[in-house]
Amino acid sequence: MPYQKTAGRQVAFFCIVVTTLLISASGCRNSGNDQAMAAPVDAAQPFPVFTTRTYTATLQSEYPATLQGQQNIEIRPKIDGFIEHIYIDEGATVKKGQLLFKIKAPQYEQDVKNALAAINSADADINTAKLQVEKTRPLVEKGIISEYELKSAEDALKVKEAVLLQAKTTLANAETNLSYTTITSPVDGVAGMIPYKLGSLVTSTTTSPLTMISNITKVYAYFSMNEKQLLDFSRQYKGSTVEAKLRQLPPVTLILSDKTEYPEKGRVEAMSGLINTETGAATFRATFPNPLGLIRSGGSAVIAIPVTIGSALLVPQQSTYELQGKRFVYRATGDKVKSTEITTLPAPAGQYFVVTDGLKAGDTLVFETATPITDGTRIKPQMQTESQVYKELK
């Protein structure tokens, strides 16, 4: 009996403890819910926004370009022989008429000597023939011999004179060939690589030239425009001919491979008459002075052509984003955002886009698009000033 009473007290105590814990837990949950319901719900985040405006803006249209010297002349041998002397080094600056190479070809020296000997022999034969004519003429006049003898002597003299003329022509050819053993620079310029060294056998049919002389007093920058860009160019600049349109182009800038601007301005002077069917582009040529020889033939650069657009609706590039080849902005209406597709003109990185479709002046856009925003998202607009957004145009 005492054991049963003790067990009953333990069960009753356990029930009381469990009930107390359940009541406490329920109270805690209700308290948390009440606090959550009392907390204000506000998921809107602050975003900088701005109002679009139109400007008369000058933008840079950039085109990749290849650089070539005003003249790139291959120096090739005209005769066969061994390289006896090389008077320049690779990359050396040379002047017109400066000696570049000496080719050893003894046969041409011998040809000159033979031609001189033939001339001397022909001179002697002419003198003999003249004497024969002078000897024969008085005998014919006196009737001692027939006129046939005089005619034969005169014809023999003409033959000797023809032989002399032929010998002189042979000498001129031999001297010309001998002059080819010394090679001089045809222009002022810079020497390229020299693939053949002393003692190398070279011929007039050798594949590679002895070197290349580049005249880089002026440098040509060749760049291309596709058909659409070419149509825009034709519509923007007035003139009935290509030359008239090119004359209206402003001076252009050359951006070198290290991203610095070349100090001299250039002019676009020529355009190919046809569009390349393989590339669908037309080639233009801009000319730049190169007084210090900073630009070398064969290099690459970028041509920047300034384009002035009046009443252009400008949007900072950082306010746009690209998706599947299309460009979008976040347009804000009140405190809600909607993604809007726009059409823009091509522009180099870091500048403004000229919007041609999708927006109008006075629209409000999110200034930064680095953070993706879904349509209908509520934001806290923070209006940016005009000077903050379009500071590069001030």
Side-chain angles (χ1 to χ4, degrees):
M1 290 298 291
Y3 172 77
Q4 292 178 352
K5 292 180 180 180
T6 303
R9 294 191 187 98
Q10 292 176 349
V11 171
F13 177 76
F14 176 76
C15 290
I16 293 171
V17 172
V18 171
T19 301
T20 303
L21 292 175
L22 290 174
I23 293 172
S24 299
S26 177
C28 290
R29 286 197 299 271
N30 290 336
S31 176
N33 289 336
D34 292 342
Q35 292 177 1
M37 292 177 63
V41 178
D42 190 3
Q45 299 294 322
F47 278 87
V49 298
F50 69 98
T51 302
T52 58
R53 299 181 183 276
T54 58
Y55 289 87
T56 298
T58 299
L59 304 179
Q60 298 283 352
S61 297
E62 296 185 351
Y63 306 90
T66 57
L67 305 176
Q68 295 293 334
Q70 185 178 4
Q71 293 173 294
N72 293 315
I73 301 175
E74 292 183 346
I75 305 299
R76 293 182 176 274
K78 294 183 178 180
I79 58 172
D80 302 347
F82 297 92
I83 296 179
E84 186 175 10
H85 290 292
I86 300 176
Y87 297 98
I88 59 169
D89 199 359
E90 296 172 340
T93 300
V94 299
K95 297 294 183 180
K96 182 178 180 179
Q98 181 176 337
L99 191 60
L100 304 178
F101 299 93
K102 172 71 174 178
I103 296 177
K104 185 176 182 180
Q107 67 271 25
Y108 297 111
E109 296 179 2
Q110 191 62 42
D111 289 345
V112 170
K113 293 179 181 179
N114 291 338
L116 288 172
I119 289 175
N120 292 333
S121 176
D123 278 335
D125 291 342
I126 287 175
N127 291 333
T128 301
K130 286 180 177 179
L131 291 175
Q132 184 63 32
V133 169
E134 293 173 358
K135 177 182 175 180
T136 304
R137 181 174 289 112
L139 295 177
V140 172
E141 291 174 351
K142 294 178 180 180
I144 299 175
I145 57 177
S146 67
E147 292 185 0
Y148 174 79
E149 296 295 335
L150 178 61
K151 185 66 174 175
S152 297
E154 291 175 344
D155 289 344
L157 175 60
K158 291 180 179 180
V159 170
K160 301 303 181 181
E161 290 175 342
V163 171
L164 176 61
L165 181 61
Q166 184 178 9
K168 289 182 177 180
T169 302
T170 302
L171 175 61
N173 290 335
E175 289 176 339
T176 299
N177 289 333
L178 183 62
S179 69
Y180 292 153
T181 61
T182 56
I183 301 175
T184 59
S185 176
V187 294
D188 295 343
V190 177
M193 298 296 294
I194 302 177
Y196 301 103
K197 307 306 177 185
L198 289 176
S200 298
L201 175 63
V202 294
T203 68
S204 57
T205 59
T206 299
T207 304
S208 299
L210 299 179
T211 191
M212 179 86 74
I213 301 297
S214 296
N215 180 359
I216 57 174
T217 306
K218 292 182 179 180
V219 174
Y220 295 145
Y222 293 93
F223 63 98
S224 299
M225 288 187 186
N226 59 36
E227 290 188 60
K228 181 180 181 303
Q229 293 168 334
L230 190 59
L231 288 173
D232 291 339
F233 163 77
S234 298
R235 294 187 181 113
Q236 183 175 2
Y237 297 99
K238 298 180 180 180
S240 57
T241 64
V242 173
E243 291 77 9
K245 294 179 183 295
L246 291 178
R247 283 195 294 268
Q248 295 186 46
L249 277 173
V252 297
T253 301
L254 189 67
I255 302 175
L256 303 177
S257 57
D258 61 356
K259 308 303 180 183
T260 61
E261 287 190 7
Y262 182 61
E264 302 284 346
K265 296 293 184 180
R267 301 289 306 189
V268 180
E269 296 180 340
M271 185 195 82
S272 60
L274 298 175
I275 295 177
N276 190 314
T277 56
E278 295 181 359
T279 62
T283 301
F284 288 73
R285 187 191 75 203
T287 304
F288 291 85
N290 191 30
L292 302 179
L294 180 63
I295 305 176
R296 294 301 177 101
S297 185
S300 60
V302 172
I303 291 288
I305 302 178
V307 179
T308 301
I309 303 176
S311 299
L313 180 60
L314 300 183
V315 172
Q317 293 188 7
Q318 66 195 49
S319 303
T320 71
Y321 67 96
E322 191 172 1
L323 181 64
Q324 296 181 348
K326 298 179 180 180
R327 192 160 295 279
F328 296 84
V329 294
Y330 292 124
R331 184 165 57 183
T333 303
D335 61 350
K336 291 186 178 181
V337 171
K338 182 180 179 181
S339 181
T340 303
E341 182 182 351
I342 61 174
T343 304
T344 64
L345 297 178
Q351 295 189 3
Y352 299 89
F353 281 124
V354 176
V355 180
T356 58
D357 191 26
L359 291 178
K360 63 181 183 300
D363 285 343
T364 301
L365 305 181
V366 174
F367 187 46
E368 296 280 355
T369 59
T371 302
I373 310 174
T374 57
D375 285 356
T377 299
R378 296 183 61 191
I379 66 170
K380 291 181 179 179
Q382 294 181 337
M383 185 60 67
Q384 305 295 296
T385 64
E386 182 180 359
S387 60
Q388 288 176 313
V389 179
Y390 297 104
K391 57 185 178 181
E392 294 182 9
L393 302 176
K394 299 298 181 182

